[in-house]
Amino acid sequence: MTDHHDHHAHLTDLEALERCAIHGRATLYPERIKIMVGTATCGNAAGAQEVLDAVREEVEGKHLPYAVAETGCIGWCSQEPLLDVWVPGQPRVTYGRVKAKTVRDILAELPEPKADRALAVMTGDDNPITGRRTSYCNGGDRPEATLNGLPTYAELPLFKRQLRIVMRNCGIVDPSSLEEYAARGGYRALWRALFSLTPREVLQEVQLSGLRGRGGAGFPTGRKWQAVCEATGGPKYIICNADEGDPGAYMDRGVLEGDPHSVIEGMIIGGYTMGAHEGVIYVRDEYPLAVARLSEAILQAQRADLLGKDILGSGFSFNIGITRGAGAFVCGEETALIASIEGRVGEPRPRPPYPAERGLWGKPTCINNVETWATVPVIVQRGGTWLAGIGTPKSKGTKVFSLVGNVTNTALIEVPMGTTLADVVNEIGGGVPAGRVCKAVQTGGPSGGCIPAEQLSLPVDYESLTKAGSIMGSGGMIVMDDRTCMVDIARYFLGFLEDESCGKCFSCRVGTQRMREIVNRISLGQGSEEDLQLLEDLAWLVGETSMCGLGQSAPNPVLTTLRYFRDEYLAHIRDKRCPAKVCKSLITYTIDPVVCNGCGACISPCAGGAITGEKKKLHTIEQAKCTKCGACLEACKFDAVLVN
Ligand SMILES: Cc1cc2nc3c(=O)[nH]c(=O)nc-3n(C[C@H](O)[C@H](O)[C@H](O)COP(=O)(O)O)c2cc1C
């Protein structure tokens, strides 16, 4: 992280906040060359720390007068690790899939980065808090120019349709810098709330915005806040739900690692509005970097009088602590989460009473998702009607999605509500890999469902996805092509839910188990047509008789696959055939004697030692040893491996 001096320990007036922002601007947009490496978990997993070390080594070893900084995830996951070079007055140049050993070559070109090994340029960035654009080119007094024909971010299909409100600072600021957050207009909304608006007026703005909770259910945030405002008895509490247990989802992690202050600011404003003085962020322990960056940001905010007693001299006091969860999916459910914070077993309880009435320690509690909290400062700063102008009549604002699976650009994206699934998958995501056919899109994780490719014209909003049998959920979006077996997908999600069911409701505990057994049987080719009716009956029963959302929505993956891909179930049952060639019991790997040229490439990847054959002679697979792992299929460059 960059070297931050603690000159702003006390933000006692607007001038102090502005001075803090000035220091932030100096590191955010320095007058010397700046090298930035995206070191969120996604970048680190791809080797960003090694790249960062190489940059530091080169800069320090050669005494180069360059600033080196870390930043969060800009969302271009398929190109990690990402390195940005910014020469003042020029567009910021992004390099993708950077290796430590290529760092020296990239830096050697400076101060004139060359286009040939770079991906794109960022000519400036839009800031939804201020409503202004910062041009990176020649102090903004010239048109934003690109570099030798490199595409700008604004031109790239991946970024063109995005609108970044929640992720406004991710990949822009150094997440460990309070000053850089302030330079982007951070904590202005808090200032405005504390000194220009009454709690009632803040509530009105949130209500006007039409914001709905981003944790999955889409409950109107203004209504929830009003209930907490009106609840009697105290103390009241604020909770940020950062449990994020859906497989394939990492939106909240991206925000916490890339811009922790945005969540903290939202929570303080929430505390002021609802009369709470204590906040808790519940983060799963598998997110150590998010915990570290949040902890550092909380400490900075405390030192700067943004948290603690008498915030900024307003008379309002508020503090935030972190509770680390052990990673149970059900602990994302609000009442289970509260039980977990209190040190009890993480099991849901019946509602009502809702947490707004009886939450943490039995007191009125407002629990919102990470994205919900990060949107709050923008609402306060720009006004509720500004946000309400984005999206659809019933789903306002933007939504962050982690776009994963069989898609060209795996990415963390933010789009206005109402963007169609087709635009997300085909335009932003670049479609399924070449030669493949899109089959379905899974939204909402284990509580959601599979939407078939024919329905990709659906707009992404709460109502449309629910009507299709899925849900918006927290934002995981898994693209599936023709290599995906829908029976296998249903089996996977049921297995997940069976494992994650807390067991309190008999119907959920045993129902998910029985449903998984039936789908398992079908995938083994041992199912019957009566099983489909049994599955539907069980799904209905589990959904109707479970107490919490886990069981209530557990049928969705099964019901949507049955509704849209019944033929595939029937192929497994009647023909003992898996059309996608995934279910191992129903497929056989053989080698085509006409095509095989005996190159031997398939022999060593075969962990079971099933493949034999002399060089340049036909190879064969011994069926008893074949584990059907598919390694030979991947290794063969001549399409000689057959799966039937
Ligand atoms: C099984 C289950 C898991 C959940 N997991 C999460 C989660 O990881 N994050 C989250 O914000 N909400 C999760 N929720 C929803 C929460 O119960 C709650 O509705 C949400 O935190 C409220 O915040 P919001 O109004 O901002 O969406 C989950 C619900 C269920 C039933």
Side-chain angles (χ1 to χ4, degrees):
M1 300 270 129
T2 43
D3 187 17
H4 298 297
H5 308 289
D6 199 13
H7 1 241
H8 308 291
H10 298 285
L11 295 180
T12 44
D13 53 28
L14 255 181
E15 257 178 52
L17 181 61
E18 185 46 35
R19 275 198 305 278
C20 177
I22 288 169
H23 282 281
R25 277 195 282 278
T27 56
L28 195 52
Y29 311 115
E31 286 171 359
R32 55 185 175 142
I33 290 175
K34 182 177 178 185
I35 320 285
M36 279 164 282
V37 181
T39 56
T41 295
C42 44
N44 289 344
Q49 283 300 328
E50 290 77 14
V51 171
L52 181 67
D53 288 347
V55 171
R56 291 225 165 98
E57 219 176 284
E58 192 68 10
V59 168
E60 283 160 25
K62 293 196 174 144
H63 303 289
L64 300 169
Y66 303 164
V68 180
E70 289 180 58
T71 188
C73 171
I74 201 155
W76 206 345
C77 310
S78 54
Q79 293 294 336
E80 299 275 13
L82 290 164
L83 180 146
D84 279 65
V85 168
W86 191 25
V87 181
Q90 292 185 26
R92 177 175 147 174
V93 185
T94 299
Y95 299 81
R97 298 196 183 167
V98 177
K99 294 197 168 54
K101 62 176 191 249
T102 53
V103 162
R104 181 179 297 188
D105 298 337
I106 293 172
L107 298 200
E109 293 171 357
L110 301 182
E112 281 162 12
K114 298 205 172 41
D116 46 355
R117 66 171 101 236
L119 282 179
V121 292
M122 192 184 284
T123 54
D125 64 72
D126 296 304
N127 184 346
I129 283 275
T130 59
R132 284 196 300 271
R133 181 166 180 82
T134 303
S135 168
Y136 293 168
C137 307
N138 294 307
D141 52 6
R142 279 209 222 154
E144 292 183 10
T146 178
L147 178 82
N148 297 341
L150 271 179
T152 63
Y153 272 68
E155 287 165 353
L156 283 172
L158 174 61
F159 289 91
K160 199 158 66 183
R161 300 186 71 111
Q162 291 197 47
L163 178 61
R164 293 182 167 230
I165 292 176
V166 172
M167 291 174 64
R168 55 192 176 273
N169 295 324
C170 294
I172 306 279
V173 301
D174 178 341
S176 76
S177 171
L178 169 64
E179 288 91 344
E180 289 191 8
Y181 182 69
R184 299 275 298 166
Y187 289 112
R188 288 266 166 173
L190 175 64
W191 201 285
R192 182 171 147 74
L194 291 179
F195 297 107
S196 307
L197 300 172
T198 61
R200 187 140 196 90
E201 284 168 334
V202 180
L203 175 66
Q204 274 165 357
E205 292 301 332
V206 174
Q207 285 171 329
L208 267 178
S209 75
L211 178 69
R212 293 169 67 175
R214 300 298 193 233
F219 189 80
T221 306
R223 263 210 346 248
K224 189 184 285 186
W225 285 30
Q226 184 171 10
V228 180
C229 286
E230 287 169 359
T232 50
K236 294 178 180 178
Y237 295 101
I238 296 291
I239 294 177
C240 171
N241 187 343
D243 190 57
E244 196 165 57
D246 300 18
Y250 53 97
M251 303 77 51
D252 296 348
R253 191 189 71 202
V255 175
L256 294 175
E257 291 180 351
D259 193 21
H261 280 289
S262 64
V263 178
I264 294 170
E265 185 179 4
M267 290 177 72
I268 308 170
I269 294 171
Y272 168 73
T273 311
M274 291 172 265
H277 301 289
E278 208 180 309
V280 181
I281 304 177
Y282 187 88
V283 201
R284 57 179 43 231
D285 210 34
E286 290 106 313
Y287 283 2
L289 187 60
V291 171
R293 289 190 175 165
L294 263 175
S295 308
E296 190 179 9
I298 289 172
L299 216 72
Q300 287 168 348
Q302 285 167 340
R303 281 202 229 114
D305 289 340
L306 294 161
L307 278 175
K309 281 211 175 81
D310 189 18
I311 291 174
L312 303 169
S314 65
F316 171 65
S317 302
F318 188 76
N319 224 328
I320 295 178
I322 297 176
T323 297
R324 292 175 301 156
F329 176 62
V330 77
C331 282
E333 194 280 338
E334 55 190 23
T335 59
L337 184 148
I338 287 168
S340 174
I341 295 177
E342 291 174 351
R344 294 184 288 118
V345 176
E347 282 179 353
R349 62 151 176 83
R351 298 172 308 171
Y354 288 91
E357 218 182 306
R358 286 197 53 186
L360 187 59
W361 311 115
K363 303 293 178 190
T365 300
C366 177
I367 174 164
N368 278 126
N369 170 260
V370 169
E371 263 184 73
T372 316
W373 288 119
T375 310
V376 167
V378 186
I379 294 173
V380 171
Q381 196 62 11
R382 299 293 296 278
T385 44
W386 181 79
L387 193 88
I390 300 163
T392 66
K394 285 189 174 168
S395 301
K396 307 291 191 187
T398 55
K399 179 77 193 82
V400 182
F401 290 100
S402 46
L403 186 60
V404 297
N406 306 132
V407 64
T408 306
N409 301 322
T410 47
L412 193 61
I413 61 161
E414 183 173 355
V415 288
M417 295 278 193
T419 307
T420 65
L421 279 171
D423 283 343
V424 172
V425 174
N426 297 328
E427 198 165 320
I428 299 175
V432 293
R436 313 278 12 155
V437 179
C438 181
K439 191 166 182 178
V441 176
Q442 210 278 347
T443 67
S447 315
C450 296
I451 298 166
E454 303 81 69
Q455 293 199 20
L456 287 195
S457 55
L458 274 181
V460 172
D461 62 56
Y462 293 98
E463 282 71 26
S464 303
L465 296 183
T466 307
K467 220 161 113 193
S470 185
I471 58 163
M472 169 91 78
S474 54
M477 198 180 270
I478 307 170
V479 182
M480 298 165 181
D481 68 22
D482 51 338
R483 290 167 293 182
T484 312
C485 169
M486 304 316 281
V487 176
D488 190 57
I489 288 296
R491 191 172 68 104
Y492 166 77
F493 279 114
L494 282 170
F496 177 86
L497 290 163
E498 177 190 359
D499 285 348
E500 297 292 337
S501 169
C502 74
K504 192 168 178 176
C505 303
F506 174 82
S507 55
C508 175
R509 182 178 76 236
V510 182
T512 51
Q513 198 181 342
R514 293 290 168 266
M515 283 199 285
R516 203 259 312 140
E517 283 167 5
I518 297 171
V519 176
N520 202 36
R521 199 154 71 218
I522 296 172
S523 76
L524 291 170
Q526 296 164 1
S528 65
E529 283 183 46
E530 291 78 63
D531 278 342
L532 299 187
Q533 187 58 51
L534 190 56
L535 253 186
E536 276 169 338
D537 291 349
L538 262 176
W540 176 84
L541 189 96
V542 172
E544 288 297 311
T545 59
S546 297
M547 185 189 64
C548 90
L550 190 149
Q552 285 162 4
S553 61
N556 288 350
V558 177
L559 290 178
T560 49
T561 49
L562 268 174
R563 177 165 155 194
Y564 298 121
F565 302 95
R566 202 174 189 89
D567 284 356
E568 243 177 89
Y569 279 87
L570 289 173
H572 286 72
I573 293 168
R574 290 182 187 156
D575 312 334
K576 311 296 173 210
R577 188 173 62 82
C578 173
K581 297 176 179 171
V582 171
C583 295
K584 289 186 179 178
S585 299
L586 304 179
I587 54 172
T588 318
Y589 281 74
T590 52
I591 293 178
D592 188 334
V594 181
V595 182
C596 177
N597 61 8
C599 74
C602 55
I603 294 181
S604 65
C606 179
I611 304 179
T612 49
E614 283 176 40
K615 202 87 181 150
K616 297 197 178 160
K617 294 226 171 104
L618 172 65
H619 289 18
T620 50
I621 300 176
E622 193 181 331
Q623 293 303 322
K625 288 187 181 169
C626 176
T627 59
K628 300 169 187 175
C629 67
C632 54
L633 189 70
E634 265 183 44
C636 181
K637 293 197 174 60
F638 305 98
D639 292 334
V641 178
L642 304 174
V643 190
N644 286 302

